[in-house]
Amino acid sequence: MYNLAVFGNPIEHSLSPTIHAEFAQQTGVEVNYDKILAPIDGFNHKAQQFIDEGATGFNITVPFKLDAYNFSTKLTLNAKTAGAVNTIKVEGSELVGENTDGIGLVNDLVNNLGVNLKDKTILILGAGGATQGILLPLLKENPKRVMIANRTASKAQQLQQDFAQYGNTCGFGLEKIKNEPIDVIINATSASLDKKMPDIASGCANHAICYDLMYGEQTPFMNWAKDNNASMIADGIGMLVEQAASSFEFWTGVKPDTHTVIKNLRS
Ligand code: NDP
């Protein structure tokens, strides 16, 4: 039996237990997956308690991904470059920290939506935790260039410097986005949470694949993409399921099928 859970605050809304229950049923792997609410300053204590009770591993969501990074005794390259951990596996005395968010996005784009990222120009809006997590997996797909545009330009420039060794990147302020077509635009800002649209040139959406990391509702970014002739528009539900599938495989060694789970969540 795999003893798993997701830690967060708040945590009530989390879809992870539903997703992992479907993976378990489908693969026949025996899994117990709980939701654990940790106090804002009490992640380590709660996580240690769960480990002492025989945990195999756990997911970590907002606001504990940095705590989990520091709590891990070993980090994968993904986790190191992301600067955050969303998955921990207990391996004897080691706590192996991984970050599956970026792998989840790439798997959704490439495998579910059929988007080939090789030699493509990608524009990421935002330079927060999500952007840092998706940069390495995106660069591993060998795009022509990944442009990072952020409201606060210095954060985009910092990420550009940090990731320059992994591929062709550049970083600038949102106002520098030119009114010309781009292949893939990823909204990794939290503007959708406030029902807002980042202030950017509309022409860049023309024939672009537009992907919002946010899920659960039609966002202003998705409306903007539709109004400006995007060739494909997607929300982040596929990424959510794919990052969960990647965590499930990290713990159990079994790769679940994601298609039916995504379909069920959408309906
Ligand atoms: P952070 O708080 O770390 O970063 C927020 C980013 O959004 C910053 O770059 C900020 O710019 C920018 N921003 C906020 N409001 C606006 C606005 N009105 N206009 C322009 N830019 C704005 O958040 P995260 O990176 O952790 O999360 C970003 C999004 O990704 C969230 O919506 C989250 O739900 C989603 N997400 C989805 C996942 C999935 O599985 N589908 C997984 C992980 C995240 P500035 O630096 O100038 O403040």
Side-chain angles (χ1 to χ4, degrees):
M1 170 71 81
Y2 289 87
N3 281 318
L4 305 167
V6 56
F7 286 79
N9 187 332
I11 197 62
E12 210 36 59
H13 66 286
S14 175
L15 294 171
S16 295
T18 311
I19 296 171
H20 284 279
E22 287 201 43
F23 289 162
Q25 196 182 23
Q26 169 207 115
T27 58
V29 176
E30 283 191 39
V31 162
N32 183 46
Y33 192 108
D34 290 329
K35 285 184 212 175
I36 301 181
L37 176 74
I40 294 295
D41 58 355
F43 169 76
N44 287 18
H45 178 70
K46 274 276 184 195
Q48 191 57 53
Q49 218 175 4
F50 187 51
I51 293 164
D52 293 343
E53 286 163 14
T56 329
F58 42 95
N59 283 130
I60 305 95
T61 187
V62 180
F64 299 125
K65 290 185 187 181
L66 186 57
D67 295 85
Y69 178 91
N70 292 322
F71 189 66
S72 303
T73 59
K74 224 168 142 180
L75 294 168
T76 63
L77 180 62
N78 266 329
K80 258 186 223 158
T81 54
V85 159
N86 78 338
T87 308
I88 284 181
K89 177 161 69 168
V90 182
E91 263 183 7
S93 61
E94 297 278 20
L95 301 172
V96 188
E98 165 67 302
N99 191 311
T100 63
D101 282 337
I103 306 164
L105 170 67
V106 168
N107 284 346
D108 190 36
L109 277 167
V110 175
N111 302 334
N112 300 335
L113 303 173
V115 179
N116 180 1
L117 296 170
K118 190 168 178 330
D119 296 329
K120 296 290 180 348
T121 300
I122 301 174
L123 170 67
I124 304 179
L125 308 175
T131 297
Q132 196 175 340
I134 64 178
L135 270 168
L136 182 65
L138 283 173
L139 287 166
K140 279 187 174 166
E141 295 297 304
N142 296 314
K144 184 170 169 195
R145 191 145 80 130
V146 175
M147 303 190 282
I148 309 156
N150 193 42
R151 187 172 57 182
T152 311
S154 58
K155 287 200 217 164
Q157 286 153 355
Q158 184 62 53
L159 284 182
Q160 187 276 321
Q161 280 175 26
D162 296 346
F163 284 84
Q165 61 181 306
Y166 300 109
N168 187 2
T169 56
C170 57
F172 44 79
L174 288 177
E175 72 289 349
K176 293 261 169 67
I177 297 172
K178 295 201 183 106
N179 216 341
E180 60 187 44
I182 292 160
D183 296 310
V184 181
I185 307 177
I186 298 168
N187 183 20
T189 70
S190 52
S192 300
L193 290 172
D194 300 328
K195 303 199 186 311
K196 287 191 175 143
M197 170 64 202
D199 195 8
I200 65 170
S202 57
C204 63
N206 205 13
H207 301 302
I209 292 158
C210 290
Y211 192 109
D212 199 327
L213 297 198
M214 168 104 169
Y215 54 84
E217 60 190 69
Q218 181 76 13
T219 67
F221 172 78
M222 293 165 81
N223 290 334
W224 170 87
K226 188 162 176 252
D227 292 345
N228 290 284
N229 300 322
S231 63
M232 186 194 287
I233 302 168
D235 70 359
I237 198 85
M239 173 178 175
L240 177 76
V241 175
E242 290 294 342
Q243 62 79 25
S246 198
S247 296
F248 189 88
E249 190 179 1
F250 186 61
W251 295 313
T252 67
V254 179
K255 197 177 168 63
D257 173 62
T258 49
H259 292 95
T260 42
V261 181
I262 293 172
K263 212 171 117 201
N264 290 347
L265 279 184
R266 282 206 191 284
S267 63

